[in-house]
Amino acid sequence: MTALLSLLAAAQAQTAQLRILGTTDLHMAALGYDYYQDKVTGEYGLENVATLMREARAEVPGVLLVDNGDTLQGNPLGDYVARIKPLVPGEVHPMLATMGGLGYSAMALGNHEFNYGLDFLDQVRSTSPFPLLNANVRSLDGQARFQPYVIRPMWLRDSEGKVRVVRVGITAFTPPQILQWDKAHLEGKVEVMDMVEAARQVVPQMQAEGADLIVALAHTGIGGAGAGGEAAAAALTQVPGIDAVISGHSHAEFPSQAYADIPGVNLERGTINGIPVVMPGSWGSHLGVVDLNLTYDAAAQDWRVSSAQGSLRRVWDKAGKVALVQPDPQVAASISPAHQGALTYVRSKVADLSAPVSSYWALVQDDPSVQLVNNAQIAYVKAALADTEYADLPVLGAAAPFKAGGRMGVSYYTDIPAGELAIRSVADLYVYPNTVQAVVVSGNELREWLERSAGQFNQITPGKSGPQALVDTSFPTFNFDVIDGVTYRIDVSQPSRYGPDGKVANPDAHRIVDLAYQGQPVRPDQRFVVATNNYRAGGGGGFPGLTGENVILRSPDETRQALISYFEAQGTVNPTADGNWSLVPVPGARLQVFTSPAGAPTAPAQAKRVGDAEGGFAEYVLTLE
């Protein structure tokens, strides 16, 4: 009996180590290449992350590599593969072929994987060298629409030097909001479960099939422990059986101080509720590393996580503005044919541009980069509705500054020089493959639309000493809709009428003042057509009155194509903003604004540079009297 107990104790003491490497939100950034500026960069790119992968693999013997989705869309290379030179039957998507060469075991379907439609996605999946996973998108009959999980055997050497098999289950989830964001592609074709609910169903199935450990590829942000919806990563850590979470979608980093106040977070260990979590930035800016120390449970005859560590490794030093790695040549060699094709495409001429266009001050004043998009949308919708019942209604345009710095960094701005206007410049103005749509709204709904948009700004106290940050950096700039065709001002001394969730937070607050059409105040019952995109018209961003029910035009054409047609018709484009919106003066207030140092030539007269800021940004103080 004593000998038997000794053998059992030895078995119980067996340990092993498993390392999980993760990427997320690559958005077709196979290379460190800025297609919009047509130049090499060391700030991001799978080719740079691949070097970190090689280093991380050399440190430990047992390594699993996974990707968390939003991989196949996001830059002109993605558009080139999906739209310009479509895949032929049997062809492997070049991004997935490149990732296969690096040894990826699985990839989640992020929300942007659905942007090109289910037929394209099914074609890509059929030839992928590794499974593309999702467990919460279902067919209308309730069955899994995609492969919900995979179980990978990992051969690990234990503490006694013996080779052991650890069966690692990998599953994946995407935000339920895809039904709104890609309504045109998904309506009437799929259903989407809440991510946590789906996890509670699929994890026991994986365990029943022999999974010793379970990794959740959670294409979702990190909210409070009980949060669901679009930010469910923390909630997923509380699903029994999940041992590690690769999160994403938010284009942020975890562990980082930005999440220090989330319940259950341990930044030192990189865990939430004791479960290791990593969110490796975006575009290949970081590599997520999860180290699991495993102990064999002889009684249960399986492996358990005894301790864990989540951490990030970066490819770029923002402060020093220097690359921290050399790119892996294997990636460039693999993606080269598609990359060269994309370059030829983006360099083709559309029109001439009479003056530069940039978005460095698009959050502070009316801006030509947004104006051009609205002009093109309005022209498109007017033509489309010319012979309809809506022909006599005023047509307005709603567009946002997609590239406005923030968490994407000091280089993430639209910056197009005067001269030849090429396809890359159009993609620089409009980075998403959205389609043109139009909605009918009342004057009151128009005002509430703008109130929601005005959540971009912090509340400013008149007369307060010291600078006050004007822009709320937690508010996505793609939700800062500027509506052209009317005039209005934004009173930032008022609190935001809407909260981050799109619900009324301050019922008595009204930031939008002097809203007028052709010089006359907008009446609550006045009717307008607003040209926008499928994301916003379908409810994306949580805007009041926009649920998809008041859409009157669902165009098959992408907004970028509308821009191209508009520019081609002009021949020479004269980019000017009409100044239809402005901020109400705040007496005695000094407004703190951060932008790229490259924005100095176009700075407003009221803006004064006062120094440098973290990440290479320039700090300005704006006074509005």
Side-chain angles (χ1 to χ4, degrees), residues 19-24 49 52-53 56 63-66 104 245-247 254-255 277-281 285-291 309-314:
R19 170 168 284 181
I20 304 165
L21 303 180
T23 51
T24 192
V49 178
L52 296 178
M53 293 174 188
V63 176
L64 180 73
L65 175 61
V66 293
Y104 277 84
V245 174
I246 312 297
S247 62
F254 184 89
V277 178
V278 292
M279 183 189 291
S285 61
H286 294 75
L287 176 67
V289 181
V290 173
D291 284 311
Q309 175 74 56
S311 61
L312 298 179
R313 301 183 184 186
R314 55 194 175 124

PDB file of all heavy atoms in Angstrom, residues 19-24 49 52-53 56 63-66 104 245-247 254-255 277-281 285-291 309-314:
ATOM      1  N   ARG A  19       2.895  26.972 -23.626  1.00  0.00           N
ATOM      2  CA  ARG A  19       2.869  28.395 -23.981  1.00  0.00           C
ATOM      3  C   ARG A  19       1.901  28.593 -25.151  1.00  0.00           C
ATOM      4  O   ARG A  19       1.963  27.880 -26.150  1.00  0.00           O
ATOM      5  CB  ARG A  19       4.261  28.888 -24.348  1.00  0.00           C
ATOM      6  CG  ARG A  19       4.285  30.303 -24.954  1.00  0.00           C
ATOM      7  CD  ARG A  19       5.693  30.858 -25.029  1.00  0.00           C
ATOM      8  NE  ARG A  19       6.161  31.285 -23.704  1.00  0.00           N
ATOM      9  CZ  ARG A  19       7.364  31.825 -23.483  1.00  0.00           C
ATOM     10  NH1 ARG A  19       8.220  31.981 -24.491  1.00  0.00           N
ATOM     11  NH2 ARG A  19       7.714  32.179 -22.264  1.00  0.00           N
ATOM     12  N   ILE A  20       1.022  29.574 -25.016  1.00  0.00           N
ATOM     13  CA  ILE A  20       0.084  29.932 -26.075  1.00  0.00           C
ATOM     14  C   ILE A  20       0.464  31.307 -26.598  1.00  0.00           C
ATOM     15  O   ILE A  20       0.561  32.272 -25.829  1.00  0.00           O
ATOM     16  CB  ILE A  20      -1.369  29.956 -25.556  1.00  0.00           C
ATOM     17  CG1 ILE A  20      -1.732  28.602 -24.936  1.00  0.00           C
ATOM     18  CG2 ILE A  20      -2.340  30.313 -26.683  1.00  0.00           C
ATOM     19  CD1 ILE A  20      -2.990  28.645 -24.102  1.00  0.00           C
ATOM     20  N   LEU A  21       0.686  31.394 -27.893  1.00  0.00           N
ATOM     21  CA  LEU A  21       0.990  32.670 -28.544  1.00  0.00           C
ATOM     22  C   LEU A  21      -0.236  33.113 -29.331  1.00  0.00           C
ATOM     23  O   LEU A  21      -0.854  32.306 -30.038  1.00  0.00           O
ATOM     24  CB  LEU A  21       2.182  32.529 -29.491  1.00  0.00           C
ATOM     25  CG  LEU A  21       3.486  32.005 -28.879  1.00  0.00           C
ATOM     26  CD1 LEU A  21       4.571  31.916 -29.958  1.00  0.00           C
ATOM     27  CD2 LEU A  21       3.946  32.878 -27.728  1.00  0.00           C
ATOM     28  N   GLY A  22      -0.585  34.398 -29.202  1.00  0.00           N
ATOM     29  CA  GLY A  22      -1.786  34.869 -29.860  1.00  0.00           C
ATOM     30  C   GLY A  22      -1.617  36.211 -30.541  1.00  0.00           C
ATOM     31  O   GLY A  22      -0.906  37.099 -30.054  1.00  0.00           O
ATOM     32  N   THR A  23      -2.285  36.351 -31.676  1.00  0.00           N
ATOM     33  CA  THR A  23      -2.400  37.638 -32.364  1.00  0.00           C
ATOM     34  C   THR A  23      -3.883  37.964 -32.480  1.00  0.00           C
ATOM     35  O   THR A  23      -4.740  37.092 -32.354  1.00  0.00           O
ATOM     36  CB  THR A  23      -1.769  37.597 -33.765  1.00  0.00           C
ATOM     37  OG1 THR A  23      -2.295  36.464 -34.492  1.00  0.00           O
ATOM     38  CG2 THR A  23      -0.262  37.466 -33.671  1.00  0.00           C
ATOM     39  N   THR A  24      -4.190  39.226 -32.751  1.00  0.00           N
ATOM     40  CA  THR A  24      -5.579  39.622 -32.936  1.00  0.00           C
ATOM     41  C   THR A  24      -5.658  40.870 -33.797  1.00  0.00           C
ATOM     42  O   THR A  24      -4.699  41.651 -33.859  1.00  0.00           O
ATOM     43  CB  THR A  24      -6.268  39.878 -31.579  1.00  0.00           C
ATOM     44  OG1 THR A  24      -7.694  39.979 -31.785  1.00  0.00           O
ATOM     45  CG2 THR A  24      -5.782  41.164 -30.916  1.00  0.00           C
ATOM     46  N   VAL A  49       5.774  40.626 -36.014  1.00  0.00           N
ATOM     47  CA  VAL A  49       5.331  39.746 -34.933  1.00  0.00           C
ATOM     48  C   VAL A  49       5.928  38.356 -35.102  1.00  0.00           C
ATOM     49  O   VAL A  49       6.225  37.667 -34.125  1.00  0.00           O
ATOM     50  CB  VAL A  49       3.790  39.678 -34.883  1.00  0.00           C
ATOM     51  CG1 VAL A  49       3.331  38.717 -33.792  1.00  0.00           C
ATOM     52  CG2 VAL A  49       3.201  41.051 -34.629  1.00  0.00           C
ATOM     53  N   LEU A  52       8.993  37.886 -33.200  1.00  0.00           N
ATOM     54  CA  LEU A  52       8.707  37.650 -31.783  1.00  0.00           C
ATOM     55  C   LEU A  52       8.242  36.215 -31.551  1.00  0.00           C
ATOM     56  O   LEU A  52       8.585  35.600 -30.532  1.00  0.00           O
ATOM     57  CB  LEU A  52       7.639  38.630 -31.292  1.00  0.00           C
ATOM     58  CG  LEU A  52       7.993  40.115 -31.307  1.00  0.00           C
ATOM     59  CD1 LEU A  52       6.810  40.945 -30.827  1.00  0.00           C
ATOM     60  CD2 LEU A  52       9.219  40.393 -30.452  1.00  0.00           C
ATOM     61  N   MET A  53       7.473  35.674 -32.489  1.00  0.00           N
ATOM     62  CA  MET A  53       7.024  34.286 -32.368  1.00  0.00           C
ATOM     63  C   MET A  53       8.213  33.335 -32.343  1.00  0.00           C
ATOM     64  O   MET A  53       8.272  32.406 -31.526  1.00  0.00           O
ATOM     65  CB  MET A  53       6.119  33.919 -33.550  1.00  0.00           C
ATOM     66  CG  MET A  53       4.796  34.626 -33.599  1.00  0.00           C
ATOM     67  SD  MET A  53       3.949  34.189 -35.151  1.00  0.00           S
ATOM     68  CE  MET A  53       2.556  35.310 -35.098  1.00  0.00           C
ATOM     69  N   ALA A  56       9.911  33.540 -29.036  1.00  0.00           N
ATOM     70  CA  ALA A  56       9.126  32.943 -27.959  1.00  0.00           C
ATOM     71  C   ALA A  56       9.118  31.420 -28.049  1.00  0.00           C
ATOM     72  O   ALA A  56       9.102  30.735 -27.028  1.00  0.00           O
ATOM     73  CB  ALA A  56       7.704  33.483 -28.006  1.00  0.00           C
ATOM     74  N   VAL A  63       4.534  24.926 -27.664  1.00  0.00           N
ATOM     75  CA  VAL A  63       3.946  26.213 -28.030  1.00  0.00           C
ATOM     76  C   VAL A  63       2.766  26.006 -28.983  1.00  0.00           C
ATOM     77  O   VAL A  63       2.869  25.244 -29.955  1.00  0.00           O
ATOM     78  CB  VAL A  63       4.982  27.144 -28.694  1.00  0.00           C
ATOM     79  CG1 VAL A  63       4.333  28.440 -29.150  1.00  0.00           C
ATOM     80  CG2 VAL A  63       6.126  27.447 -27.721  1.00  0.00           C
ATOM     81  N   LEU A  64       1.671  26.698 -28.703  1.00  0.00           N
ATOM     82  CA  LEU A  64       0.486  26.690 -29.541  1.00  0.00           C
ATOM     83  C   LEU A  64       0.267  28.108 -30.051  1.00  0.00           C
ATOM     84  O   LEU A  64       0.272  29.066 -29.277  1.00  0.00           O
ATOM     85  CB  LEU A  64      -0.731  26.239 -28.722  1.00  0.00           C
ATOM     86  CG  LEU A  64      -2.078  26.167 -29.435  1.00  0.00           C
ATOM     87  CD1 LEU A  64      -2.103  24.976 -30.386  1.00  0.00           C
ATOM     88  CD2 LEU A  64      -3.214  26.032 -28.412  1.00  0.00           C
ATOM     89  N   LEU A  65       0.056  28.276 -31.375  1.00  0.00           N
ATOM     90  CA  LEU A  65      -0.109  29.589 -31.982  1.00  0.00           C
ATOM     91  C   LEU A  65      -1.529  29.742 -32.527  1.00  0.00           C
ATOM     92  O   LEU A  65      -1.998  28.897 -33.303  1.00  0.00           O
ATOM     93  CB  LEU A  65       0.905  29.776 -33.116  1.00  0.00           C
ATOM     94  CG  LEU A  65       0.802  31.058 -33.946  1.00  0.00           C
ATOM     95  CD1 LEU A  65       0.999  32.302 -33.079  1.00  0.00           C
ATOM     96  CD2 LEU A  65       1.837  31.036 -35.084  1.00  0.00           C
ATOM     97  N   VAL A  66      -2.218  30.829 -32.131  1.00  0.00           N
ATOM     98  CA  VAL A  66      -3.602  31.056 -32.544  1.00  0.00           C
ATOM     99  C   VAL A  66      -3.809  32.520 -32.917  1.00  0.00           C
ATOM    100  O   VAL A  66      -3.026  33.397 -32.538  1.00  0.00           O
ATOM    101  CB  VAL A  66      -4.587  30.669 -31.416  1.00  0.00           C
ATOM    102  CG1 VAL A  66      -4.577  29.170 -31.170  1.00  0.00           C
ATOM    103  CG2 VAL A  66      -4.260  31.427 -30.118  1.00  0.00           C
ATOM    104  N   TYR A 104       0.181  28.479 -37.487  1.00  0.00           N
ATOM    105  CA  TYR A 104      -1.048  28.733 -36.738  1.00  0.00           C
ATOM    106  C   TYR A 104      -1.879  27.452 -36.644  1.00  0.00           C
ATOM    107  O   TYR A 104      -1.989  26.686 -37.616  1.00  0.00           O
ATOM    108  CB  TYR A 104      -1.878  29.820 -37.405  1.00  0.00           C
ATOM    109  CG  TYR A 104      -1.458  31.231 -37.051  1.00  0.00           C
ATOM    110  CD1 TYR A 104      -0.418  31.857 -37.734  1.00  0.00           C
ATOM    111  CD2 TYR A 104      -2.094  31.927 -36.029  1.00  0.00           C
ATOM    112  CE1 TYR A 104      -0.034  33.157 -37.429  1.00  0.00           C
ATOM    113  CE2 TYR A 104      -1.717  33.222 -35.711  1.00  0.00           C
ATOM    114  CZ  TYR A 104      -0.689  33.840 -36.412  1.00  0.00           C
ATOM    115  OH  TYR A 104      -0.314  35.117 -36.091  1.00  0.00           O
ATOM    116  N   VAL A 245      -7.856  33.066 -22.166  1.00  0.00           N
ATOM    117  CA  VAL A 245      -8.658  33.868 -23.089  1.00  0.00           C
ATOM    118  C   VAL A 245      -7.735  34.761 -23.910  1.00  0.00           C
ATOM    119  O   VAL A 245      -6.915  35.497 -23.355  1.00  0.00           O
ATOM    120  CB  VAL A 245      -9.684  34.746 -22.334  1.00  0.00           C
ATOM    121  CG1 VAL A 245     -10.402  35.686 -23.304  1.00  0.00           C
ATOM    122  CG2 VAL A 245     -10.689  33.871 -21.585  1.00  0.00           C
ATOM    123  N   ILE A 246      -7.872  34.679 -25.226  1.00  0.00           N
ATOM    124  CA  ILE A 246      -7.245  35.653 -26.120  1.00  0.00           C
ATOM    125  C   ILE A 246      -8.356  36.626 -26.516  1.00  0.00           C
ATOM    126  O   ILE A 246      -9.322  36.229 -27.157  1.00  0.00           O
ATOM    127  CB  ILE A 246      -6.649  34.995 -27.376  1.00  0.00           C
ATOM    128  CG1 ILE A 246      -5.799  33.766 -27.014  1.00  0.00           C
ATOM    129  CG2 ILE A 246      -5.838  36.015 -28.172  1.00  0.00           C
ATOM    130  CD1 ILE A 246      -4.592  34.061 -26.169  1.00  0.00           C
ATOM    131  N   SER A 247      -8.244  37.873 -26.097  1.00  0.00           N
ATOM    132  CA  SER A 247      -9.290  38.852 -26.396  1.00  0.00           C
ATOM    133  C   SER A 247      -8.822  39.803 -27.495  1.00  0.00           C
ATOM    134  O   SER A 247      -7.680  39.730 -27.956  1.00  0.00           O
ATOM    135  CB  SER A 247      -9.671  39.630 -25.132  1.00  0.00           C
ATOM    136  OG  SER A 247      -8.561  40.361 -24.637  1.00  0.00           O
ATOM    137  N   PHE A 254      -3.933  44.358 -23.327  1.00  0.00           N
ATOM    138  CA  PHE A 254      -4.048  43.815 -21.970  1.00  0.00           C
ATOM    139  C   PHE A 254      -3.004  42.730 -21.829  1.00  0.00           C
ATOM    140  O   PHE A 254      -2.869  41.897 -22.718  1.00  0.00           O
ATOM    141  CB  PHE A 254      -5.440  43.233 -21.709  1.00  0.00           C
ATOM    142  CG  PHE A 254      -5.599  42.749 -20.277  1.00  0.00           C
ATOM    143  CD1 PHE A 254      -6.035  43.621 -19.292  1.00  0.00           C
ATOM    144  CD2 PHE A 254      -5.275  41.447 -19.920  1.00  0.00           C
ATOM    145  CE1 PHE A 254      -6.162  43.195 -17.972  1.00  0.00           C
ATOM    146  CE2 PHE A 254      -5.390  41.013 -18.613  1.00  0.00           C
ATOM    147  CZ  PHE A 254      -5.838  41.891 -17.639  1.00  0.00           C
ATOM    148  N   PRO A 255      -2.274  42.740 -20.702  1.00  0.00           N
ATOM    149  CA  PRO A 255      -2.423  43.626 -19.539  1.00  0.00           C
ATOM    150  C   PRO A 255      -1.874  45.033 -19.792  1.00  0.00           C
ATOM    151  O   PRO A 255      -0.829  45.197 -20.403  1.00  0.00           O
ATOM    152  CB  PRO A 255      -1.624  42.907 -18.452  1.00  0.00           C
ATOM    153  CG  PRO A 255      -0.640  42.054 -19.183  1.00  0.00           C
ATOM    154  CD  PRO A 255      -1.291  41.664 -20.463  1.00  0.00           C
ATOM    155  N   VAL A 277      -5.380  36.317 -19.482  1.00  0.00           N
ATOM    156  CA  VAL A 277      -6.012  36.994 -20.605  1.00  0.00           C
ATOM    157  C   VAL A 277      -4.970  37.877 -21.276  1.00  0.00           C
ATOM    158  O   VAL A 277      -4.209  38.566 -20.596  1.00  0.00           O
ATOM    159  CB  VAL A 277      -7.199  37.872 -20.146  1.00  0.00           C
ATOM    160  CG1 VAL A 277      -7.815  38.615 -21.337  1.00  0.00           C
ATOM    161  CG2 VAL A 277      -8.254  37.036 -19.433  1.00  0.00           C
ATOM    162  N   VAL A 278      -4.946  37.870 -22.591  1.00  0.00           N
ATOM    163  CA  VAL A 278      -4.116  38.829 -23.330  1.00  0.00           C
ATOM    164  C   VAL A 278      -4.953  39.468 -24.429  1.00  0.00           C
ATOM    165  O   VAL A 278      -5.843  38.834 -25.004  1.00  0.00           O
ATOM    166  CB  VAL A 278      -2.852  38.189 -23.943  1.00  0.00           C
ATOM    167  CG1 VAL A 278      -1.876  37.773 -22.868  1.00  0.00           C
ATOM    168  CG2 VAL A 278      -3.204  37.024 -24.853  1.00  0.00           C
ATOM    169  N   MET A 279      -4.700  40.751 -24.685  1.00  0.00           N
ATOM    170  CA  MET A 279      -5.274  41.459 -25.831  1.00  0.00           C
ATOM    171  C   MET A 279      -4.109  42.115 -26.559  1.00  0.00           C
ATOM    172  O   MET A 279      -3.610  43.154 -26.133  1.00  0.00           O
ATOM    173  CB  MET A 279      -6.296  42.510 -25.404  1.00  0.00           C
ATOM    174  CG  MET A 279      -6.972  43.205 -26.582  1.00  0.00           C
ATOM    175  SD  MET A 279      -8.007  44.621 -26.113  1.00  0.00           S
ATOM    176  CE  MET A 279      -9.338  43.797 -25.278  1.00  0.00           C
ATOM    177  N   PRO A 280      -3.639  41.499 -27.661  1.00  0.00           N
ATOM    178  CA  PRO A 280      -2.387  41.939 -28.296  1.00  0.00           C
ATOM    179  C   PRO A 280      -2.548  43.062 -29.330  1.00  0.00           C
ATOM    180  O   PRO A 280      -2.107  42.936 -30.477  1.00  0.00           O
ATOM    181  CB  PRO A 280      -1.856  40.659 -28.944  1.00  0.00           C
ATOM    182  CG  PRO A 280      -2.778  39.555 -28.558  1.00  0.00           C
ATOM    183  CD  PRO A 280      -4.070  40.195 -28.182  1.00  0.00           C
ATOM    184  N   GLY A 281      -3.184  44.161 -28.944  1.00  0.00           N
ATOM    185  CA  GLY A 281      -3.230  45.335 -29.802  1.00  0.00           C
ATOM    186  C   GLY A 281      -3.945  45.093 -31.113  1.00  0.00           C
ATOM    187  O   GLY A 281      -5.011  44.477 -31.165  1.00  0.00           O
ATOM    188  N   SER A 285       0.767  44.742 -33.827  1.00  0.00           N
ATOM    189  CA  SER A 285       1.580  45.616 -32.994  1.00  0.00           C
ATOM    190  C   SER A 285       2.193  44.874 -31.813  1.00  0.00           C
ATOM    191  O   SER A 285       3.220  45.284 -31.284  1.00  0.00           O
ATOM    192  CB  SER A 285       0.742  46.782 -32.460  1.00  0.00           C
ATOM    193  OG  SER A 285      -0.336  46.313 -31.649  1.00  0.00           O
ATOM    194  N   HIS A 286       1.543  43.789 -31.395  1.00  0.00           N
ATOM    195  CA  HIS A 286       1.987  43.031 -30.226  1.00  0.00           C
ATOM    196  C   HIS A 286       1.782  41.539 -30.448  1.00  0.00           C
ATOM    197  O   HIS A 286       0.958  41.125 -31.266  1.00  0.00           O
ATOM    198  CB  HIS A 286       1.196  43.425 -28.975  1.00  0.00           C
ATOM    199  CG  HIS A 286       1.417  44.826 -28.509  1.00  0.00           C
ATOM    200  ND1 HIS A 286       0.876  45.920 -29.156  1.00  0.00           N
ATOM    201  CD2 HIS A 286       2.095  45.312 -27.425  1.00  0.00           C
ATOM    202  CE1 HIS A 286       1.225  47.032 -28.503  1.00  0.00           C
ATOM    203  NE2 HIS A 286       1.963  46.687 -27.463  1.00  0.00           N
ATOM    204  N   LEU A 287       2.505  40.770 -29.682  1.00  0.00           N
ATOM    205  CA  LEU A 287       2.291  39.331 -29.581  1.00  0.00           C
ATOM    206  C   LEU A 287       1.814  39.034 -28.170  1.00  0.00           C
ATOM    207  O   LEU A 287       2.422  39.476 -27.192  1.00  0.00           O
ATOM    208  CB  LEU A 287       3.587  38.563 -29.860  1.00  0.00           C
ATOM    209  CG  LEU A 287       3.517  37.033 -29.679  1.00  0.00           C
ATOM    210  CD1 LEU A 287       2.604  36.406 -30.724  1.00  0.00           C
ATOM    211  CD2 LEU A 287       4.912  36.416 -29.738  1.00  0.00           C
ATOM    212  N   GLY A 288       0.713  38.311 -28.050  1.00  0.00           N
ATOM    213  CA  GLY A 288       0.238  37.883 -26.747  1.00  0.00           C
ATOM    214  C   GLY A 288       0.905  36.574 -26.349  1.00  0.00           C
ATOM    215  O   GLY A 288       1.041  35.662 -27.171  1.00  0.00           O
ATOM    216  N   VAL A 289       1.327  36.483 -25.098  1.00  0.00           N
ATOM    217  CA  VAL A 289       1.998  35.283 -24.598  1.00  0.00           C
ATOM    218  C   VAL A 289       1.298  34.831 -23.316  1.00  0.00           C
ATOM    219  O   VAL A 289       1.227  35.584 -22.340  1.00  0.00           O
ATOM    220  CB  VAL A 289       3.488  35.540 -24.302  1.00  0.00           C
ATOM    221  CG1 VAL A 289       4.168  34.269 -23.800  1.00  0.00           C
ATOM    222  CG2 VAL A 289       4.201  36.083 -25.539  1.00  0.00           C
ATOM    223  N   VAL A 290       0.774  33.608 -23.334  1.00  0.00           N
ATOM    224  CA  VAL A 290       0.155  33.013 -22.151  1.00  0.00           C
ATOM    225  C   VAL A 290       0.966  31.786 -21.769  1.00  0.00           C
ATOM    226  O   VAL A 290       1.106  30.847 -22.571  1.00  0.00           O
ATOM    227  CB  VAL A 290      -1.306  32.611 -22.407  1.00  0.00           C
ATOM    228  CG1 VAL A 290      -1.862  31.842 -21.214  1.00  0.00           C
ATOM    229  CG2 VAL A 290      -2.158  33.845 -22.683  1.00  0.00           C
ATOM    230  N   ASP A 291       1.521  31.797 -20.586  1.00  0.00           N
ATOM    231  CA  ASP A 291       2.286  30.647 -20.078  1.00  0.00           C
ATOM    232  C   ASP A 291       1.461  29.924 -19.029  1.00  0.00           C
ATOM    233  O   ASP A 291       1.071  30.514 -18.007  1.00  0.00           O
ATOM    234  CB  ASP A 291       3.614  31.104 -19.482  1.00  0.00           C
ATOM    235  CG  ASP A 291       4.631  31.464 -20.564  1.00  0.00           C
ATOM    236  OD1 ASP A 291       4.805  30.655 -21.487  1.00  0.00           O
ATOM    237  OD2 ASP A 291       5.225  32.554 -20.480  1.00  0.00           O
ATOM    238  N   GLN A 309       0.465  32.968 -16.473  1.00  0.00           N
ATOM    239  CA  GLN A 309       0.953  34.332 -16.673  1.00  0.00           C
ATOM    240  C   GLN A 309       0.572  34.789 -18.064  1.00  0.00           C
ATOM    241  O   GLN A 309       0.823  34.097 -19.058  1.00  0.00           O
ATOM    242  CB  GLN A 309       2.477  34.391 -16.519  1.00  0.00           C
ATOM    243  CG  GLN A 309       3.096  35.743 -16.816  1.00  0.00           C
ATOM    244  CD  GLN A 309       2.829  36.757 -15.717  1.00  0.00           C
ATOM    245  OE1 GLN A 309       3.146  36.519 -14.555  1.00  0.00           O
ATOM    246  NE2 GLN A 309       2.252  37.884 -16.072  1.00  0.00           N
ATOM    247  N   GLY A 310      -0.058  35.976 -18.141  1.00  0.00           N
ATOM    248  CA  GLY A 310      -0.342  36.587 -19.428  1.00  0.00           C
ATOM    249  C   GLY A 310       0.515  37.822 -19.617  1.00  0.00           C
ATOM    250  O   GLY A 310       0.667  38.624 -18.689  1.00  0.00           O
ATOM    251  N   SER A 311       1.082  38.003 -20.814  1.00  0.00           N
ATOM    252  CA  SER A 311       1.953  39.155 -21.052  1.00  0.00           C
ATOM    253  C   SER A 311       1.944  39.503 -22.540  1.00  0.00           C
ATOM    254  O   SER A 311       1.450  38.741 -23.371  1.00  0.00           O
ATOM    255  CB  SER A 311       3.388  38.861 -20.592  1.00  0.00           C
ATOM    256  OG  SER A 311       3.937  37.761 -21.299  1.00  0.00           O
ATOM    257  N   LEU A 312       2.488  40.669 -22.859  1.00  0.00           N
ATOM    258  CA  LEU A 312       2.574  41.142 -24.238  1.00  0.00           C
ATOM    259  C   LEU A 312       4.018  41.440 -24.606  1.00  0.00           C
ATOM    260  O   LEU A 312       4.818  41.848 -23.759  1.00  0.00           O
ATOM    261  CB  LEU A 312       1.744  42.421 -24.427  1.00  0.00           C
ATOM    262  CG  LEU A 312       0.246  42.352 -24.191  1.00  0.00           C
ATOM    263  CD1 LEU A 312      -0.375  43.727 -24.403  1.00  0.00           C
ATOM    264  CD2 LEU A 312      -0.415  41.325 -25.096  1.00  0.00           C
ATOM    265  N   ARG A 313       4.321  41.253 -25.887  1.00  0.00           N
ATOM    266  CA  ARG A 313       5.606  41.665 -26.432  1.00  0.00           C
ATOM    267  C   ARG A 313       5.314  42.561 -27.638  1.00  0.00           C
ATOM    268  O   ARG A 313       4.475  42.228 -28.465  1.00  0.00           O
ATOM    269  CB  ARG A 313       6.447  40.451 -26.844  1.00  0.00           C
ATOM    270  CG  ARG A 313       6.720  39.505 -25.675  1.00  0.00           C
ATOM    271  CD  ARG A 313       7.618  38.342 -26.041  1.00  0.00           C
ATOM    272  NE  ARG A 313       7.769  37.414 -24.926  1.00  0.00           N
ATOM    273  CZ  ARG A 313       8.589  36.369 -24.920  1.00  0.00           C
ATOM    274  NH1 ARG A 313       9.347  36.109 -26.003  1.00  0.00           N
ATOM    275  NH2 ARG A 313       8.659  35.575 -23.864  1.00  0.00           N
ATOM    276  N   ARG A 314       6.003  43.681 -27.744  1.00  0.00           N
ATOM    277  CA  ARG A 314       5.692  44.674 -28.772  1.00  0.00           C
ATOM    278  C   ARG A 314       6.773  44.732 -29.841  1.00  0.00           C
ATOM    279  O   ARG A 314       7.924  44.373 -29.595  1.00  0.00           O
ATOM    280  CB  ARG A 314       5.504  46.057 -28.139  1.00  0.00           C
ATOM    281  CG  ARG A 314       6.678  46.512 -27.308  1.00  0.00           C
ATOM    282  CD  ARG A 314       6.337  47.707 -26.422  1.00  0.00           C
ATOM    283  NE  ARG A 314       7.463  48.049 -25.550  1.00  0.00           N
ATOM    284  CZ  ARG A 314       8.045  49.233 -25.496  1.00  0.00           C
ATOM    285  NH1 ARG A 314       7.606  50.221 -26.257  1.00  0.00           N
ATOM    286  NH2 ARG A 314       9.058  49.461 -24.688  1.00  0.00           N
TER     287      ARG A 314
END
